Amino acid sequence: MKIGVLGTGNMADALATHWVRAGHEVFVGGRDERKAQRLATRLGGGAGHGSLHAATDFGEVVLVALPYGVGADVVREYRAALSGKVLLDCANPVGPGFRLLTEAGPSAAGRLAAAAPGARVIKAFNLCHESVWRMTPPVFDGQPLAVPVCGDDESAVALAYELVRDVGCAPVSGGGLERAGLLEATAALFIGLWVEEQADARAIAPPLAYATGPGTGRH
């Protein structure tokens, strides 16, 4: 598939590297087109580069790999070009003190949907540090990393599942886009546990067989 990438930072680099290797056509767009060119060269595989607008025009799927707040402004500017396209949001609206910046308002993904009402927005890839996404593949204790995906459009979710698998991970349904805020809040909680408490976030949940109580079997 054709994938436009908005941004030239670590998440753009980590995810697009896998997608180029999987044979997708990738075009990197940035406000600084020299940085976009450097990233495209590093990606190889004939990756293109240019402006943010050019990337929105190019992709049937568009990854928004921009800081929270900036993404919505860019998407709003190019909303006409994004109509009908899959908009993939990986942002974490987490601020000082591991505070969720969206507070009681719309999720970061919801703000993208409001900024480009014709786009089909998906939330995914926000629960791990970029170094995890660079792994080939992200497998821990013999089990591929599971990636929750939130979205309302079935065909958009299916494309997102394909891109998750291309990273070497296992997609799992996170529900509709209204649940994207739960993924973002989970990221804020996990980052606080990892960074401030040096705690293994996996240890706060029991194995699946015990999720509804001991002896109840697998659900």
Side-chain angles (χ1 to χ4, degrees), residues 36-62:
Q37 181 179 18
R38 286 197 293 269
L39 177 53
T41 300
R42 189 159 61 250
L43 293 174
H49 61 86
S51 66
L52 292 169
H53 194 186
T56 61
D57 280 338
F58 178 85
E60 57 187 296
V61 174
V62 178

Side-chain angles (χ1 to χ4, degrees), residues 51-188:
S51 66
L52 292 169
H53 194 186
T56 61
D57 280 338
F58 178 85
E60 57 187 296
V61 174
V62 178
L63 172 70
V64 183
L66 297 166
Y68 169 65
V70 174
D73 290 340
V74 169
V75 164
R76 186 175 297 106
E77 184 174 355
Y78 303 120
R79 61 187 178 276
L82 290 166
S83 182
K85 299 189 176 186
V86 177
L87 202 56
L88 188 55
D89 175 41
C90 64
N92 273 327
V94 180
F98 313 107
R99 180 173 61 89
L100 194 62
L101 296 177
T102 54
E103 296 180 333
S107 65
R111 291 168 198 246
L112 292 189
R120 298 176 290 161
V121 179
I122 296 288
K123 185 77 184 189
F125 297 112
N126 73 305
L127 292 183
C128 296
H129 189 267
E130 51 90 11
S131 61
V132 172
W133 304 122
R134 293 183 190 277
M135 296 174 66
T136 52
V139 172
F140 302 93
D141 298 326
Q143 183 174 354
L145 181 71
V147 178
V149 175
C150 290
D152 294 333
D153 185 280
E154 289 185 8
S155 61
V157 169
L159 288 177
Y161 275 23
E162 180 181 345
L163 294 177
V164 168
R165 293 188 185 100
D166 288 337
V167 176
C169 299
V172 60
S173 174
L177 195 65
E178 77 280 356
R179 292 175 63 85
L182 298 180
L183 275 185
E184 295 167 6
T186 298

